[in-house]
Amino acid sequence: MRNKITAGNWKMNLTPQEGVTLINDVLHLNPALNNNKIIFCVPFTHLALAQQAIANTNNKNIVLGAQNCYYQNSGAYTGEISLPMLKTLGVQAIIVGHSERRQYFNEDNELLKHKIDAILAADLTPIFCCGEPLAVREANTQNDFVAQQLKESILHLEGQALSKIIIAYEPIWAIGTGKTATTAQAQEMHAHIRSLLNNNYGTIAQDIAILYGGSCNPTNAAELFSQPDVDGGLIGGASLKADQFTAIANAMN
Ligand code: PGA
């Protein structure tokens, strides 16, 4: 039985102190987690303070995440952040291949493959993002598009390594636009992703969390999360509001 996950992607928002306030506000609202999980994916500059705020809860189902990393452990890579650095700060999960990184920073499937390998080698959890742009959806070729993203970045893994991954399906046309995929569209793609995993890895596919991302909010979360292959959400805009993020986390139950 897969547990559900609500991951907040703050993107490039908030000061570190505002971030601590947001985490404390969420904790104060006391989301009902049971065995489900919350991951706060905060900017690099916020990690140390965010970790302190999270550690105060003593709840192992509330964890710290980052939004990016580089795949080399150290060296002459000005401006980059390595996995040993993130690990020291208590990071457990890292978003990889968000569409904004693909679009604005030219990250391609090959680079993401290196990042995935490095994150798994560091014994951390990648949150691998995939999803199609609007033109692909309009041409109804989204299944092939997402299959190619998976093929070039994660399907080279051994089953044991793959089982550590979280996948986030985020249709680009739904990110930050207020336009959510319908529950049917989300479920259809999540089932497609799971069947690809099943074809390559067999029953391991049943253990992999596949999150939905793209204008997820307190109104649509419960219906999305009730779909058989939707195991929670990767939340952008609504993760910046304590009440909304908590309501979405509660929708996991
Ligand atoms: P959104 O962003 O919830 O603001 O649409 C989701 C994401 O980009 O991860």
Side-chain angles (χ1 to χ4, degrees):
M1 179 58 195
R2 298 183 298 272
N3 296 323
K4 288 195 163 49
I5 298 166
T6 298
N9 174 12
W10 293 359
K11 309 193 178 182
M12 195 175 71
N13 292 297
L14 307 176
T15 65
Q17 197 52 54
E18 285 168 345
V20 169
T21 303
L22 174 56
I23 290 173
N24 286 335
D25 287 349
V26 170
L27 299 178
H28 188 70
L29 291 167
N30 198 16
L33 290 183
N34 302 313
N35 286 321
N36 298 323
K37 204 177 251 191
I38 283 180
I39 307 175
F40 288 103
C41 298
V42 311
F44 292 135
T45 45
H46 302 31
L47 286 168
L49 282 178
Q51 172 57 12
Q52 279 173 24
I54 290 171
N56 287 339
T57 69
N58 268 329
N59 184 336
K60 67 172 178 32
N61 288 324
I62 300 179
V63 307
L64 184 65
Q67 299 172 15
N68 186 26
C69 66
Y70 196 52
Y71 62 84
Q72 299 284 2
N73 280 343
S74 64
Y77 303 101
T78 303
E80 291 299 311
I81 306 284
S82 74
L83 291 156
M85 294 174 189
L86 296 177
K87 220 170 161 171
T88 313
L89 291 169
V91 167
Q92 294 183 37
I94 301 159
I95 297 173
V96 186
H98 189 282
S99 60
E100 288 149 17
R101 302 251 14 127
R102 293 173 186 263
Q103 183 180 350
Y104 304 133
F105 303 99
N106 300 321
E107 296 199 1
D108 60 16
N109 291 340
E110 177 70 16
L111 173 71
L112 301 177
K113 177 181 173 184
H114 290 303
K115 292 192 181 194
I116 292 278
D117 288 344
I119 293 168
L120 290 167
D123 206 17
L124 297 171
T125 303
I127 304 174
F128 176 72
C129 299
C130 56
E132 79 286 356
L134 184 60
V136 168
R137 173 62 64 165
E138 284 175 347
N140 198 27
T141 52
Q142 64 274 9
N143 283 3
D144 290 345
F145 186 91
V146 169
Q148 192 68 15
Q149 289 180 319
L150 264 55
K151 180 164 173 253
E152 292 181 11
S153 296
I154 66 170
L155 294 187
H156 64 287
L157 294 168
E158 301 284 332
Q160 170 74 6
L162 184 98
S163 67
K164 306 258 161 59
I165 280 194
I166 297 170
I167 294 175
Y169 168 60
E170 301 203 301
I172 297 172
W173 44 271
I175 295 178
T177 58
K179 204 173 163 189
T180 325
T182 63
T183 44
Q185 285 172 324
Q187 167 55 27
E188 192 184 7
M189 179 58 82
H190 285 225
H192 169 61
I193 292 170
R194 203 177 304 285
S195 84
L196 286 169
L197 298 177
N198 189 62
N199 291 345
N200 286 276
Y201 299 96
T203 52
I204 289 173
Q206 294 308 318
D207 298 332
I208 302 208
I210 307 177
L211 314 185
Y212 170 79
S215 299
C216 190
N217 61 45
T219 311
N220 59 32
E223 196 184 327
L224 283 162
F225 297 175
S226 70
Q227 301 301 302
D229 289 296
V230 180
D231 306 311
L234 180 55
I235 318 300
S239 74
L240 298 171
K241 301 270 187 307
D243 54 343
Q244 294 189 21
F245 188 64
T246 305
I248 294 170
N250 282 328
M252 292 190 287
N253 292 302

